[in-house]
Amino acid sequence: MSEVRLRFPPSPTGYLHIGGARTAIYNWLYARKHGGKLILRIEDTDVERSTQGSIDGIIEGLEWLGIDWDEGPYFQTEFAGEHVAAANRLIAEGHAYKCFCTKEELDAKREAALAAKQEVKYDGACRNLTPEQVAEKEAAGIPAVVRFKVPDRQGKVGYNDKVLGRIEQAYSEISDFVIVRSNGKPLYLLCNVVDDIRDRISHIIRGQDHKDNTNRQILLYEALGAPIPVFAHMPLTMDIKGAKISKRSHGEIVAVQFYKKNGFLPWALVNFLVLLGWNPGDDREIFSKEELIEAFTLERINKSSSIFNHKKDDPKFFTDPKAININAHYLRAMPVAELAVFVKKELVEAGIWDDAYEHEKKEWFCKVLELSRERFHTLKDFATLGRAYFADDFAMDEQALNKNVLKHPELKELLPILADRFAALDPFDQQSAEQAARDFAEENGLKVGIPVNASRALITGQVKGPSMFELFELMGQEVVVSRLKNVTKYF
RNA sequence: GUCCCCAUCGUCUAGCCAGGUCCAGGACACCGGCCUUUCACGCCGGCGACACGAGUUCGAAUCUCGUUGGGGACGCCA
């Protein structure tokens, strides 16, 4: 049994987007499951559009997601010599020929065909040039591309796709495609195959947008005398209107980087993306890395495309609700110690990190995370909604202020009294604070919720949050007393 | 225009290959209730789909054909 080898071959013409990431994830899962190798190959043959920034972004994105590879990154341009050699070999062996038609002629023909709703296909003008004719045109300095000579055979080329089943196409439907530009640079179809042969790729998992390329590439494998790998064409991810998602038309929201910037846990994104077009066949939706590798199979990849459920300008969901839900799930379920690492980054970035959170205040810090994460959805929430836990300069939520403080004018006088009661408590803990608050409410003929919710507003700046009695103890006597006394500033 | 692929709740999907156990199951979202100092979590309940039409069959979400719809490709991009 030959080695299981897969590759992720992004073209570095933009950031890593979620569609590309999903392709990488599927390849990675298959490689890991079968003890195979994952090769990262940067397909930078389009020099015009390839950028170093894009290469860096793709690598950073993969690393952030936790998708590791075993070989590479290789750069396609480094193997240009092999690509040219392969093309020459194909010409020598009669599998390819030089074509002297100009780009302008061909573009015009194609557009005319499209406009007239005719079949769009290369007409084979140079397919049967005699050696003399070729020599003559070359002598005249006419530039030429190299075209693959599609076998003049009856019947169909085909392959057994692991996702779609048998895919076939008549030879007559495939026109002689270009494999080398007139400037001598080989094209994707050829480079890709030559590289896959050299890298001994056994399984190709890619998007269905490559489906029609596959038959042409199979012809190339045959002509080059190489074994044909296993193909699996995964469904595409569409936007809410059913159009293919792309960097160009959707911008940041489809960039992996966006999720990093907006408080996603990398594994939560992986978990969400893998479910877009694949399922384990049972009701599980949350997977550890090990569980996912174990559960993943090519056979359970769906045939039909899925929709990335993002509504522009949705006030409640900044991205697909299910993605947010999965992220929130991990936020709540992961070990606090692991979460702490992520939250630290957020607090450092917000300028409210205290090194004591890793030392003498570590227990306190973990307790805050434990309580607050219950209602947070992203890592950003710790530094925004949860800012009051870590800093005095937190914003006061308008609704909290109006509804829980200003609506009850008597609180202006009463809260400072409650503050004094709290100040006198010894010890000051959850039980004593709760008792004091309840007694105070009763004495003043208030429902306990009134002073408690007002306290939440003044102490956390929020209209919602964890149990206030737990928070009194957690925030500490000093902070509680001083923030309660601030009440007068708001009237 | 030609070729290829796809089609179950708003979204992600199970079921389809091996037709009956499916008046179609789960998750997210949404709505209601419980819990409660708030919100959330949690729990309980609700809303909600087999694109359409023929055929095969005792029986079709499942098989066949057609229609419609959607997508992909047809490049000296990858």
Side-chain angles (χ1 to χ4, degrees):
Chain A
M1 187 63 199
S2 58
E3 205 184 350
V4 171
R5 294 172 62 85
L6 292 95
R7 43 50 158 196
F8 176 56
S11 63
T13 54
Y15 47 62
L16 180 64
H17 69 108
I18 56 177
R22 196 170 61 106
T23 304
I25 290 166
Y26 283 19
N27 277 283
W28 173 76
L29 286 170
Y30 192 86
R32 292 292 167 264
K33 171 153 184 167
H34 296 279
K37 296 275 195 291
L38 179 64
I39 289 119
L40 175 60
R41 191 171 67 222
I42 306 292
E43 304 217 323
D44 54 352
T45 48
D46 186 354
V47 184
E48 312 260 305
R49 297 195 299 151
S50 298
T51 67
Q52 185 59 41
S54 173
I55 294 169
D56 296 342
I58 288 165
I59 289 175
E60 261 173 47
L62 290 173
E63 283 175 343
W64 179 72
L65 286 168
I67 306 303
D68 53 347
W69 56 93
D70 307 287
E71 290 179 26
Y74 296 141
F75 292 87
Q76 196 163 55
T77 44
E78 290 173 8
F79 300 96
E82 289 186 21
H83 305 145
V84 172
N88 288 337
R89 191 182 133 199
L90 289 173
I91 295 174
E93 294 175 1
H95 293 299
Y97 59 90
K98 292 195 173 180
C99 167
F100 299 89
C101 298
T102 68
K103 192 174 190 310
E104 290 68 31
E105 281 168 13
L106 294 171
D107 284 347
K109 279 183 188 172
R110 181 168 44 247
E111 270 168 49
L114 235 28
K117 306 220 167 203
Q118 303 266 300
E119 193 176 359
V120 181
K121 201 177 165 189
Y122 173 62
D123 60 6
C126 301
R127 186 176 164 118
N128 296 312
L129 257 28
T130 62
E132 292 72 29
Q133 287 173 306
V134 171
E136 194 178 303
K137 285 175 186 283
E138 281 184 324
I142 301 173
V145 299
V146 178
R147 284 184 186 273
F148 182 77
K149 193 180 225 169
V150 175
D152 185 17
R153 294 204 280 244
Q154 294 297 306
K156 298 171 169 182
V157 229
Y159 61 100
N160 295 313
D161 192 283
K162 282 294 204 180
V163 173
L164 298 170
R166 181 76 188 168
I167 301 286
E168 292 182 327
Q169 199 171 13
Y171 286 98
S172 57
E173 287 295 336
I174 304 171
S175 57
D176 291 351
F177 51 94
V178 177
I179 54 178
V180 181
R181 291 180 175 94
S182 56
N183 66 5
K185 304 271 193 218
L187 256 4
Y188 165 77
L189 241 23
L190 209 220
C191 299
N192 191 249
V193 167
V194 169
D195 291 340
D196 283 341
I197 293 171
R198 182 196 58 250
D199 291 334
R200 306 188 329 276
I201 300 303
S202 60
H203 295 71
I204 295 179
I205 305 173
R206 66 199 334 186
Q208 285 180 16
D209 49 344
H210 284 283
K211 186 171 33 108
D212 292 308
N213 285 335
T214 306
N215 287 125
R216 293 186 289 177
Q217 291 190 315
I218 282 175
L219 261 20
L220 249 14
Y221 277 99
E222 282 177 358
L224 259 9
I228 294 165
V230 172
F231 287 96
H233 286 97
M234 47 194 280
L236 266 19
T237 305
M238 311 300 212
D239 70 10
I240 201 118
K241 296 189 203 95
K244 189 176 159 185
I245 56 163
S246 69
K247 307 162 194 180
R248 195 168 51 81
S249 49
H250 300 88
E252 273 224 293
I253 190 71
V254 300
V256 166
Q257 189 68 21
F258 174 84
Y259 295 85
K260 183 181 177 187
K261 276 197 299 194
N262 282 279
F264 262 70
L265 268 352
W267 185 256
L269 217 213
V270 171
N271 197 145
F272 167 72
L273 290 177
V274 80
L275 255 16
L276 237 42
W278 173 87
N279 75 83
D282 53 43
D283 284 343
R284 287 178 299 164
E285 296 200 315
I286 299 295
F287 300 87
S288 68
K289 184 169 145 181
E290 292 69 29
E291 287 167 340
L292 190 57
I293 290 169
E294 169 63 31
F296 187 78
T297 64
L298 259 27
E299 288 72 18
R300 290 211 64 89
I301 295 176
N302 290 127
K303 293 178 173 182
S304 49
S305 55
S306 55
I307 293 172
F308 175 61
N309 192 15
H310 166 249
K311 298 188 188 78
K312 218 170 183 298
D313 303 320
D314 187 322
K316 198 163 175 189
F317 299 104
F318 68 93
T319 186
D320 190 309
K322 193 143 188 168
I324 294 178
N325 176 274
I326 290 174
N327 196 53
H329 170 88
Y330 278 103
L331 232 42
R332 289 193 299 270
M334 72 196 295
V336 178
E338 276 176 43
L339 178 62
V341 178
F342 289 101
V343 176
K344 176 183 177 180
K345 280 183 201 150
E346 296 298 330
L347 299 189
V348 167
E349 203 178 300
I352 51 176
W353 171 254
D354 179 350
D355 277 333
Y357 298 157
E358 278 179 334
H359 302 97
E360 64 269 29
K361 287 189 181 171
K362 188 172 179 180
E363 204 182 320
W364 175 87
F365 182 63
C366 289
K367 183 79 180 163
V368 169
L369 298 191
E370 219 169 273
L371 283 181
S372 60
R373 67 175 175 172
E374 288 298 323
R375 56 226 85 201
F376 287 166
H377 296 101
T378 74
L379 294 167
K380 287 288 160 204
D381 293 338
F382 289 94
T384 54
L385 301 176
R387 188 177 176 96
Y389 298 117
F390 312 107
D392 286 325
D393 62 338
F394 58 91
M396 173 60 69
D397 179 79
E398 207 174 314
Q399 197 195 348
L401 183 63
N402 290 332
K403 185 174 148 196
N404 293 336
V405 182
L406 299 183
K407 195 174 153 197
H408 309 285
E410 68 274 26
L411 289 174
K412 185 184 177 187
E413 316 298 332
L414 292 177
L415 250 25
I417 301 174
L418 178 61
D420 288 334
R421 293 268 186 105
F422 280 156
L425 290 177
D426 184 23
F428 180 80
D429 57 24
Q430 186 175 333
Q431 287 71 33
S432 68
E434 173 165 1
Q435 197 56 54
R438 288 192 186 280
D439 290 348
F440 181 80
E442 198 178 335
E443 286 165 30
N444 291 286
L446 297 172
K447 279 193 282 190
V448 70
I450 307 263
V452 165
N453 290 328
S455 299
R456 189 188 331 278
L458 290 162
I459 293 166
T460 70
Q462 295 290 305
V463 69
K464 53 193 184 184
S467 160
M468 217 34 230
F469 300 127
E470 282 187 77
L471 279 185
F472 284 138
E473 176 175 340
L474 196 62
M475 296 307 287
Q477 197 165 26
E478 196 184 320
V479 169
V480 167
V481 169
S482 85
R483 289 188 187 175
L484 283 183
K485 288 193 170 176
N486 277 342
V487 70
T488 51
K489 294 181 189 167
Y490 291 102
F491 280 94

